[in-house]
Amino acid sequence: MRYSILGTVRAVRGDSELDVGPPKRLALLSLLLLRAPGPVSLSDAVDVLWDDEPPASAVNVVHRHIGALRKLLEPGLRSRTDAEHLSRAADGYRLLADASTSDLLRFRDVRARARLAVESGNPAQAATDFIEALRLWRSPVVADGTPVAWHPVFTSVGHEFVATAKEATDVVLRAAPALTEEVLSVLRCAVEGHPFDEAIHSRIIAALAATGRQAEALKQFEDIRRTLADELGVEPGPGLRAARRRFLQRGCAQRGKDLTTRAKPPQVPPHLPASPTAFVGRHEVSNRILDLVTRDGGGEASAATVAISGMAGVGKTTLAVRCAHRVADRFPDGQIYVDLRGHHPDRPRLDSAQAMTAVLDALGVGRGGGDLDAAALGSVYRSALAGRRLLLVLDDAAHCEQVRPLLPATPGSLVIVTSRRKLEGLAVTHYAELFTLNPMAPRESMQLLERRLGSARIRTEMACADEIVELCGGLPLALAVVATRALTGPRPSLATLAAELRDGLLALFSGDPRTDARSAFQRSYEALSVGGAQLFRSLSQHPSPEITLRAAASLADTDLQVTRRNLAELADHHLLVEHVPGRYTCHELLRAFADELSSALDPSSARSETRARMFEHYVYSADAATALLAPHRRTLILPPPRPGVHPQEFRGCADAAEWVSAERHLLPALVRALDHYPRAAAFRRQLTSTMEMSCHPSFG
């Protein structure tokens, strides 16, 4: 079997194209291809296949189309358990495709090879690979002609075509001018779907000028300038203006000479760590970071600072180094990496003076003998960086003040900072672009596991691999540790590793403080204040990863102002994430770590009191909501809550209904957990009454 989705959707057996059937079935095959080799849940299938409210029979319709696709793809199949193409997944289905059978997976594989060639210093090979990848697209519209082609999950993949076209152009113009005409055709195709994308127009202008068509290049600029003014009421941005300025200032012959000599060797030996080999995903964040570097076309941009933050083990350093290698050739005066050791397991963090000294040493700049005070060293540092195009990677920053003195004061350089802290202060003082790196999506996690273990082993234990992905919660560090354990020693089965992960963090112990998950979490915990640490431990007593301000205040027995400050501290350290205003979520592995800490540090009586306050918070909150929404359902008159409990306060019925809707999945867990509570029966009645109210057809 061979599958195509980059353009029209096709399924081919041998030399014969199969007739997939009606539009809904074709759309379902498209979704399976888009997610392959990962699973498609039934809920995702229903959401994508029906734009508006799905019918009550939607799940059955999906099952019927799956059955029809199985018969089409494997007409001789006797049992679903023997399926080689379309198999059952935990909560849906999975198309068993790889780079040899799917054009989308083949495209991503060849594109990854091209990017690796760029990082390895072989741009000519990269240009060839990029063009090979782009030739697989028969149309820039994914699943063209299907009812789902314009659904966001499909258009987001279509953006990969545009991003790759930009990358290919940059490499072709620099190292493979013979491919300019082909990349120009690709750019013209891309701009049809993105008429206001100035980065595409800038590259079309550069490609036209490189082939001697200066009049066409000028017309291209004037056309987009007029379009931007007429349609959006704006002038061209710095990237377009820089592209126009370059081709006007230089003749075509000189431009060709400039393009072939642009990637001259740096004056300073590169100091970047090796580019990660098992890198997957992170396309959106990495492309946004790269756009910051390329949007001015390599012109005279001001010094740029990018700050990547996220929880321990989420892959900040890996992403920073990967991006640094991809743009290194744009910074010929040096690419320097400094580990600031903000959370190092063994060594003290660097102060700013030590970090400056490390950069100056890398540049080979003397400091004039003798020890310099902070002001003198800063002056030497700024003078050494002035006028250079440098790439600085400042890894594992402890806080903003450690970073600020290291930022170049003149235009032309790029600084990539990583930290477990948000570093919002850098955006205030230095206009830094802030990027939060979240855990990987399940599909990316499976790709990482497959990259390390091989597709054959994943296929033989697919259900266990899915469970490992879920238990690791999208944390690359956890996935890498589990994959390493699967390949070493007695080579335990994935089922064994999944069972160990269910038992706790011990499965992620590596013996190496730099890669041990518990050790990594511990270093974040040790940076907290006393109040923040106490609240973090208390979170383990909450039955759900999501918590509100008042619930947190009840858990920790602190007033709302103190709790708000402690929640902000935990969020700043990425031990909590505020995905929705007022609601904070804790990663499941962090919750397991918090439970270990609480068991070791908090007396059992204190843990019991914490749980009691938590129960009462929800019981009294549910009672207040019921009093507003359905007073006839109130089952008892409650005495005042114990000290430290902060029930939810509602501004009206809408506010109460929103709270009940948000907590409806938590209330059953609370009812089950009440068994050993002294007033369990009465509290259970109130919570059950609120649950029944939330499930009533008239609710909401």
Side-chain angles (χ1 to χ4, degrees):
M1 290 297 305
R2 300 190 310 280
Y3 305 99
S4 300
I5 192 176
L6 304 181
T8 54
V9 180
R10 302 171 63 208
V12 178
R13 182 188 297 114
D15 295 326
S16 302
E17 182 174 349
L18 304 181
D19 182 6
V20 175
K24 273 283 190 288
R25 191 175 306 157
L26 186 65
L28 180 57
L29 176 62
S30 303
L31 184 59
L32 288 163
L33 276 170
L34 194 76
R35 295 281 173 79
V40 174
S41 68
L42 287 172
S43 60
D44 282 352
V46 170
D47 288 344
V48 172
L49 296 184
W50 281 271
D51 288 335
D52 46 13
E53 189 69 23
S57 61
V59 171
N60 289 333
V61 172
V62 172
H63 284 310
R64 287 199 299 272
H65 283 311
I66 288 290
L69 285 173
R70 275 209 183 98
K71 291 179 182 178
L72 177 71
L73 300 179
E74 299 182 76
L77 184 66
R78 295 186 177 182
S79 171
R80 288 178 295 180
T81 58
D82 299 328
E84 295 181 356
H85 296 288
L86 185 55
S87 69
R88 182 81 191 189
D91 181 34
Y93 299 92
R94 168 193 319 273
L95 189 68
L96 302 176
D98 56 28
S100 66
T101 57
S102 162
D103 61 351
L104 174 59
L105 296 179
R106 172 66 179 165
F107 160 75
R108 288 172 172 165
D109 188 59
V110 177
R111 181 185 60 184
R113 195 172 69 204
R115 289 171 172 171
L116 187 61
V118 170
E119 294 160 8
S120 302
N122 191 352
Q125 181 60 51
T128 301
D129 290 338
F130 273 129
I131 293 299
E132 179 186 344
L134 289 167
R135 285 171 182 164
L136 294 169
W137 289 74
R138 301 178 311 284
S139 161
V141 179
V142 178
D144 201 2
T146 68
V148 294
W150 301 108
H151 190 281
V153 300
F154 286 86
T155 57
S156 64
V157 176
H159 292 320
E160 295 183 34
F161 171 77
V162 176
T164 305
K166 295 175 185 176
E167 291 181 76
T169 304
D170 294 342
V171 176
V172 164
L173 293 180
R174 187 173 76 245
L179 296 173
T180 303
E181 287 293 346
E182 186 161 3
V183 82
L184 184 57
S185 298
V186 172
L187 289 170
R188 291 193 185 284
C189 185
V191 83
E192 289 180 7
H194 302 269
F196 302 118
D197 191 323
E198 296 187 32
I200 300 178
H201 287 282
S202 297
R203 287 166 173 81
I204 292 176
I205 291 169
L208 288 170
T211 55
R213 288 176 277 182
Q214 289 177 295
E216 286 185 56
L218 183 59
K219 182 178 183 300
Q220 182 77 26
F221 175 83
E222 291 299 328
D223 287 347
I224 182 57
R225 183 192 63 77
R226 193 161 42 248
T227 299
L228 291 172
D230 293 345
E231 300 292 333
L232 304 180
V234 298
E235 289 297 315
L240 267 175
R241 294 198 303 271
R244 179 179 181 273
R245 182 171 61 250
R246 284 195 301 275
F247 87 77
L248 287 176
Q249 288 175 344
R250 306 168 187 167
C252 181
Q254 181 62 42
R255 181 184 307 281
K257 180 180 178 181
D258 290 344
L259 289 169
T260 56
T261 60
R262 183 177 177 182
K264 60 184 180 181
Q267 300 171 3
V268 177
H271 289 74
L272 297 177
S275 183
T277 56
F279 186 89
V280 298
R282 305 304 200 191
H283 302 300
E284 180 182 355
V285 175
S286 59
N287 286 336
R288 286 173 62 199
I289 293 172
L290 294 174
D291 280 346
L292 292 176
V293 182
T294 60
R295 65 189 176 189
D296 75 324
E300 297 76 21
S302 59
T305 301
V306 172
I308 304 171
S309 65
M311 66 179 288
V314 80
K316 302 178 292 296
T317 299
T318 300
L319 176 63
V321 172
R322 174 83 169 189
C323 290
H325 276 280
R326 290 179 64 183
V327 301
D329 64 329
R330 295 175 177 269
F331 301 94
D333 297 326
Q335 306 102 41
I336 300 169
Y337 171 90
V338 181
D339 184 358
L340 298 177
R341 304 202 296 254
H343 300 85
H344 198 281
D346 305 315
R347 305 174 65 188
R349 70 178 58 153
L350 292 187
D351 60 30
S352 299
Q354 291 171 313
M356 285 184 197
T357 300
V359 174
L360 293 173
D361 288 345
L363 293 173
V365 176
R367 297 185 294 282
D371 293 332
L372 301 177
D373 61 26
L377 181 61
S379 178
V380 171
Y381 180 83
R382 290 188 294 274
S383 297
L385 269 57
R388 297 180 189 252
R389 289 185 62 83
L390 289 174
L391 170 60
L392 298 180
V393 178
L394 305 177
D395 192 22
D396 191 20
H399 45 68
C400 294
E401 205 50 48
Q402 187 185 25
V403 174
R404 283 193 179 99
L406 306 176
L407 301 179
T410 55
S413 294
L414 171 68
V415 183
I416 303 177
V417 188
T418 73
S419 179
R420 299 185 190 183
R421 306 282 298 274
K422 289 183 178 180
L423 301 183
E424 293 173 334
L426 294 183
V428 175
T429 60
H430 288 78
Y431 301 95
E433 298 277 353
L434 306 182
F435 295 91
T436 298
L437 194 59
N438 295 315
M440 301 174 81
R443 180 168 58 87
E444 293 177 329
S445 298
M446 183 61 74
Q447 289 173 349
L448 179 58
L449 206 58
E450 186 173 359
R451 183 73 62 88
R452 286 180 170 268
L453 296 180
S455 57
R457 187 165 183 187
I458 294 294
R459 285 193 179 190
T460 58
E461 297 186 80
M462 182 62 78
C464 297
D466 283 333
E467 186 176 10
I468 287 172
V469 164
E470 180 181 357
L471 291 170
C472 288
L475 209 60
L477 174 62
L479 290 163
V481 170
V482 171
T484 300
R485 291 195 57 207
L487 295 172
T488 56
R491 294 174 63 89
S493 67
L494 298 188
T496 298
L497 292 170
E500 291 181 3
L501 280 170
R502 288 194 296 271
D503 288 338
L505 290 176
L506 187 60
L508 300 178
F509 176 73
S510 71
D512 171 17
R514 293 295 293 268
T515 59
D516 177 61
R518 184 192 282 107
S519 177
F521 297 160
Q522 179 70 32
R523 296 193 293 277
S524 289
Y525 173 76
E526 289 172 351
L528 298 174
S529 67
V530 173
Q534 190 256 334
L535 175 58
F536 179 69
R537 297 195 307 273
S538 300
L539 294 175
S540 65
Q541 305 302 304
H542 194 259
S544 166
E546 185 177 283
I547 195 167
T548 63
L549 168 64
R550 286 183 168 270
S554 299
L555 272 178
D557 190 13
T558 51
D559 64 43
L560 296 181
Q561 184 174 358
V562 170
T563 306
R564 186 178 286 109
R565 184 167 61 246
N566 290 336
L567 286 170
E569 180 185 9
L570 294 179
D572 182 48
H573 287 264
H574 285 94
L575 296 172
L576 285 180
V577 177
E578 190 179 11
H579 283 302
V580 177
R583 288 189 169 269
Y584 299 83
T585 303
C586 186
H587 193 280
E588 287 291 357
L589 292 179
L590 287 172
R591 278 167 53 80
F593 175 63
D595 190 45
E596 286 188 5
L597 288 173
S598 182
S599 298
L601 300 176
D602 299 325
S604 59
S605 59
R607 286 163 59 86
S608 297
E609 279 293 316
T610 298
R611 286 192 294 271
R613 288 193 302 273
M614 182 265 298
F615 285 136
E616 292 197 15
H617 165 81
Y618 284 103
V619 169
Y620 284 84
S621 298
D623 181 64
T626 304
L628 284 169
L629 299 171
H632 60 282
R633 286 184 174 272
R634 296 184 78 182
T635 59
L636 69 162
I637 303 300
L638 297 171
R642 70 179 61 210
V645 175
H646 301 271
Q648 205 73 22
E649 295 180 352
F650 304 111
R651 295 183 297 273
C653 290
D655 196 23
E658 183 180 346
W659 180 86
V660 172
S661 178
E663 305 292 358
R664 66 170 63 181
H665 301 297
L666 168 63
L667 297 179
L670 287 168
V671 170
R672 291 191 298 270
L674 272 170
D675 288 339
H676 304 294
Y677 190 72
R679 297 155 68 185
F683 282 6
R684 185 181 289 110
R685 285 198 303 273
Q686 183 58 62
L687 289 173
T688 302
S689 175
T690 305
M691 283 193 300
E692 291 172 350
M693 177 182 65
S694 71
C695 296
H696 195 275
S698 63
F699 181 77

